[in-house]
Amino acid sequence: MSTATANAIDSVFAELAARGETALIPFLTMGDPDLETSVRLIAAAEAAGAHMIELGVPYSDPLADGPVIQRASERALRHSISLTDCIGVATKAREAGVRMPFILFTYFNPALQLGLERFFSLLQEHGFSGVIIPDLPLEEDAEVREIAERTGVHLIPLVAPTSEARVERIASRAKGFVYCVSSLGVTGVRSDFHAGIDQFLATVRRASNVPICVGFGISSREHAERFAGIADGVIVGSAIVRQVEASLPPSALGDAGRTEAGLAEVRVFIAGLKPRKAGEV
Amino acid sequence: MTTTQVPDTHGRFGGFGGRYVPETLMNALYELEEAYNRYKDDPDFLKEVRYLLKQYSGRPTPLYYAERLTEHLGGAKIYLKREDLNHTGAHKINNTIGQAVLAKRMGKKKIIAETGAGQHGVASATVAALLGLECKVFMGEEDTKRQALNVFRMKLLGAEVVPVTSGTRTLKDACNETLRYWVSHVDDTYYILGSVTGPHPYPMMVRDFQRVIGLETKDQILEAEGRLPDVIIAAVGGGSNAMGIFHPFVGDASVRLIGVEAAGRGVDTDKHAATMTKGTPGVFQGSMSYVLQDAGGQVQEAHSISAGLDYPGIGPEHAYLKDIKRAEYVPITDAEALDALQLLSRKEGIIPALESAHAVAHTLKLAPTLPKDTTIVISLSGRGDKDVESIIGYLGGDLP
């Protein structure tokens, strides 16, 4: 089995744990504003201190996503970005010197249409360490999980505050990390989290053999720090995608100066999300 | 026949169906399934549903022998199952009564619904008013323009209509937005899904609530003709009226079941909603079924003159019936549906909904080819009043 080689997600969490740090995991919609800029945004995220990154595949019907990521998907789909294009971005980002682990975030149908075997062999070939499929609950994931285990790509599951008795089943067999949904709802910036969030995270922690990360609605360093002590990582999506929307509108493309400036703004924004370690100012 | 045993406990109709939704909704789907299983055979529950279907909606609806249309076509005897005579003007209320009574039993005070043509939205707003529930209806912005009358009707009934501006601004995105809202409010909100689509248990439950169409038809045709019909024809968007009339006949192998889908401007154009003719299997809005999609799995925009058929998916049980060859699915264009609408209006004094006109249009092709001693039942799923304004747009205000 190819899992004999350590998965990069596991290695990064082990290093962070040793240093007492919380993982910062940005999300970017691939192809927004275009694929070339996506590669540069990934590099900017790493320069800003990201420890691993979710590469989002734009989809026509993003059920789990709020308006910010919906708009990004629509922008990307205007130039017909495909699943294979998104997977290919990983190789280009490696060529540009990016070292952090890559996690693909895709709805199930594009992967299904590509063919699940081919999908995972492409993920392997392009150096992905994990995959998140938000509309594939455990009841439907048998085939995907089997191929994921065979190819050594971690299938990272989501758990929600409504998962209740399901937490145990989901977390106990998770690979990579458990993606804890912070609140009821779709992705997007929000001001408050689910009332029982701390208890929920404690429940997931008890059931899980792998790190736990929190996502959905995390948009500031304050949010990130709120979870730094109780989770192993924070995932920031919509807040970053919104910054990309503001700093790198399609009209900025082709203007080298504006693109540079936009990339710098996004880098600064991501750096500003990073939770400080105790005593750090 | 084994078809009466689908879906299995995972909501599978053969390879179709299932529950492809965000984790946040999974417990709500189980809660719904448990509640439905608890009440579906409960005498008090059934008594309330049957009472409302009869005294409030006016069931049973007639099975009407369309004599002049039959003579005009010169072939099979044509019967119309008059779902258009239901309260609110379409079959949709069969399902909303069932689900709203269930929601109340589950202790939910708020309901949400998606709507395309507005018929399901009106039927949801109606039962919400009837049972004292708070109601929010999500409707594509494009459809709110095409069906302004229904928007106003829902508001009169006390519902809030939320125009959906994402994606295609039609039914598909209204469904997405309703699901998103449900994810955020799953604690206290019941989602009345309007068709035999979406994640399990909806395709099964909506079918069961719509089966009354087929059950009545069976009794009525046996009374009128002394035997089962030869053909049943129904329009399919998501497929609820078709599944409702088909299902009690699935085990009767002699009865041909024909679903009519919207070919829009033609199945060889990019403006159609012919999911069975041109679609391929995929996962869309919570279940595996046929979907209009590109090679990369992006769901495509559908087109039909009828807002209720303008949908790129179809219920998983229809996909199953197609694959086991128990039902056939045929396309009808916008133009054919408009012609059929006018013919039925003039021959029978019944203005059908544009959705139902698709079923009539296929009958116009089929009936003349069948012997006079055969019978066809059309599910006349809704009345055309809601469409009059858009028909004026297509035909011009001045008819010859």
Side-chain angles (χ1 to χ4, degrees):
Chain A
M1 256 168 69
S2 54
T3 42
T5 333
N7 184 297
I9 294 172
D10 304 340
S11 317
V12 168
F13 276 115
E15 288 162 24
L16 289 172
R19 297 205 302 267
E21 280 185 58
T22 307
L24 174 63
I25 311 173
F27 168 100
L28 290 168
T29 298
M30 294 298 94
D32 174 38
D34 65 11
L35 285 173
E36 195 190 321
T37 312
S38 289
V39 174
R40 300 184 70 189
L41 280 165
I42 295 166
E46 184 165 73
H51 300 104
M52 54 188 85
I53 190 162
E54 280 183 32
L55 308 185
V57 178
Y59 184 50
S60 54
D61 294 84
L63 266 184
D65 285 303
V68 172
I69 293 175
Q70 287 174 41
R71 285 200 301 273
S73 292
E74 285 180 25
R75 285 194 295 273
L77 288 175
R78 258 174 239 146
H79 31 266
S80 304
I81 302 296
S82 70
L83 173 57
T84 47
D85 291 335
C86 297
I87 296 173
V89 164
T91 293
K92 290 183 189 135
R94 287 276 180 264
E95 286 163 7
V98 175
R99 302 171 53 89
M100 63 184 163
F102 294 139
I103 299 160
L104 194 80
F105 180 105
T106 182
Y107 287 87
F108 186 47
N109 198 47
L112 185 68
Q113 300 307 320
L114 187 62
L116 295 176
E117 291 286 352
R118 181 162 151 71
F119 173 60
F120 275 97
S121 73
L122 283 175
L123 289 180
Q124 215 176 10
E125 190 182 313
H126 289 270
F128 278 86
S129 304
V131 62
I132 298 171
I133 308 177
D135 55 351
L136 194 71
L138 65 93
E139 283 79 355
E140 309 290 353
D141 77 358
E143 187 182 1
V144 168
R145 198 153 40 90
E146 185 274 314
I147 306 173
E149 281 180 19
R150 180 153 40 82
T151 52
V153 176
H154 285 338
L155 177 62
I156 296 161
L158 287 98
V159 289
T162 51
S163 296
E164 296 169 12
R166 301 166 57 79
V167 168
E168 172 71 34
R169 285 167 70 200
I170 296 167
S172 64
R173 63 181 210 186
K175 292 287 172 67
F177 62 87
V178 181
Y179 189 139
C180 305
V181 175
S182 71
S183 38
L184 302 186
V186 292
T187 60
V189 175
R190 51 173 67 81
S191 54
D192 49 340
F193 301 99
H194 193 261
I197 181 79
D198 294 302
Q199 201 191 348
F200 163 60
L201 292 177
T203 308
V204 180
R205 172 72 79 194
R206 276 196 301 277
S208 175
N209 302 312
V210 293
I212 66 170
C213 299
V214 183
F216 281 43
I218 296 180
S219 59
S220 65
R221 172 177 277 167
E222 288 66 35
H223 288 163
E225 287 178 346
R226 185 204 179 299
F227 294 113
I230 45 178
D232 304 297
V234 291
I235 300 149
V236 186
S238 294
I240 294 172
V241 173
R242 192 170 61 178
Q243 187 63 50
V244 171
E245 183 177 50
S247 299
L248 289 161
S251 61
L253 297 178
D255 180 334
R258 277 183 73 192
T259 305
E260 284 301 334
L263 286 164
E265 281 171 29
V266 176
R267 190 183 67 234
V268 168
F269 182 80
I270 296 173
L273 294 166
K274 212 173 170 180
R276 289 162 293 198
K277 279 197 282 186
E280 195 182 15
V281 283
Chain B
M1 218 167 139
T2 54
T3 44
T4 50
Q5 286 148 26
V6 294
D8 67 13
T9 53
H10 299 289
R12 288 276 170 187
F13 303 87
F16 300 104
R19 276 176 288 227
Y20 297 88
V21 295
E23 172 62 24
T24 308
L25 291 180
M26 287 304 290
N27 261 331
L29 293 176
Y30 279 108
E31 184 199 10
L32 177 60
E33 188 182 347
E34 278 163 28
Y36 177 63
N37 285 333
R38 183 160 70 243
Y39 289 115
K40 68 177 182 182
D41 301 314
D42 176 71
D44 285 343
F45 175 80
L46 290 173
K47 195 174 152 196
E48 184 173 355
V49 170
R50 283 173 189 150
Y51 170 81
L52 291 174
L53 287 175
K54 183 176 179 208
Q55 301 296 345
Y56 186 70
S57 190
R59 300 206 74 93
T61 57
L63 183 71
Y64 166 73
Y65 170 43
E67 193 170 358
R68 293 197 68 224
L69 183 66
T70 299
E71 278 169 17
H72 176 76
L73 296 175
K77 274 180 96 168
I78 298 163
Y79 284 86
L80 307 177
K81 179 58 175 165
R82 298 291 309 275
E83 290 302 299
D84 59 319
L85 293 178
N86 271 299
H87 179 44
T88 74
H91 71 289
K92 292 290 186 186
I93 198 157
N94 301 330
N95 170 45
T96 60
I97 284 176
Q99 288 201 54
V101 172
L102 181 63
K104 238 184 143 165
R105 288 280 199 284
M106 291 171 72
K108 308 277 181 179
K109 303 269 190 291
K110 298 177 185 174
I111 60 165
I112 52 171
E114 84 295 341
T115 199
Q119 292 304 88
H120 175 58
V122 168
S124 298
T126 298
V127 296
L130 173 71
L131 298 176
L133 302 165
E134 201 178 297
C135 178
K136 221 185 260 289
V137 179
F138 295 82
M139 187 172 190
E141 195 186 39
E142 189 65 30
D143 291 334
T144 62
K145 289 178 195 156
R146 289 198 280 192
Q147 304 285 345
L149 190 64
N150 272 341
V151 173
F152 191 71
R153 200 173 275 159
M154 287 183 265
K155 290 180 180 170
L156 270 180
L157 292 160
E160 182 191 343
V161 179
V162 183
V164 174
T165 55
S166 57
T168 60
R169 300 169 190 231
T170 61
L171 177 57
K172 165 174 102 74
D173 290 278
C175 294
N176 288 339
E177 213 50 45
T178 318
L179 277 166
R180 289 185 188 116
Y181 182 91
W182 197 32
V183 170
S184 311
H185 299 84
V186 65
D187 285 347
D188 64 352
T189 302
Y190 183 101
Y191 177 14
I192 301 194
L193 205 153
S195 194
V196 287
T197 53
H200 182 64
Y202 284 107
M204 168 183 80
M205 182 172 68
V206 177
R207 172 198 75 194
D208 291 352
F209 287 134
Q210 292 291 1
R211 283 183 89 229
V212 65
I213 307 173
L215 292 171
E216 285 176 9
T217 299
K218 206 170 208 176
D219 288 346
Q220 290 165 323
I221 195 78
L222 286 173
E223 195 186 322
E225 293 287 329
R227 61 184 195 88
L228 295 175
D230 296 283
V231 186
I232 295 176
I233 301 179
V236 286
S240 69
N241 94 86
M243 193 49 67
I245 196 166
F246 286 178
H247 197 259
F249 293 94
V250 165
D252 300 309
S254 69
V255 182
R256 263 179 89 184
L257 306 175
I258 304 177
V260 183
E261 55 183 10
R265 294 185 202 159
V267 292
D268 295 322
T269 70
D270 61 356
K271 299 273 184 215
H272 64 77
T275 310
M276 290 298 206
T277 310
K278 303 294 276 192
T280 48
V283 165
F284 174 55
Q285 290 179 341
S287 61
M288 176 88 74
S289 189
Y290 283 83
V291 187
L292 291 177
Q293 58 185 330
D294 68 15
Q298 304 288 346
V299 178
Q300 289 173 320
E301 197 168 342
H303 166 86
S304 169
I305 188 175
S306 143
L309 302 183
D310 193 352
Y311 184 64
I314 188 165
E317 191 164 7
H318 283 294
Y320 172 67
L321 292 180
K322 173 186 158 79
D323 274 23
I324 63 166
K325 300 189 172 9
R326 178 61 192 93
E328 310 154 51
Y329 295 84
V330 297
I332 282 291
T333 64
D334 289 349
E336 290 170 324
L338 272 173
D339 287 346
L341 180 142
Q342 293 173 84
L343 185 72
L344 189 70
S345 300
R346 289 175 183 213
K347 290 292 171 201
E348 297 290 348
I350 297 169
I351 302 174
L354 279 169
E355 290 78 21
S356 322
H358 285 72
V360 176
H362 186 67
T363 308
L364 303 187
K365 294 181 182 178
L366 184 65
T369 70
L370 298 177
K372 287 187 175 178
D373 61 352
T374 58
T375 57
I376 295 176
V377 175
I378 303 175
S379 175
L380 205 76
S381 55
R383 67 177 182 226
D385 307 43
K386 71 182 172 66
D387 293 316
V388 169
E389 207 176 304
S390 56
I391 296 165
I392 291 172
Y394 282 98
L395 298 179
D398 194 23
L399 291 176

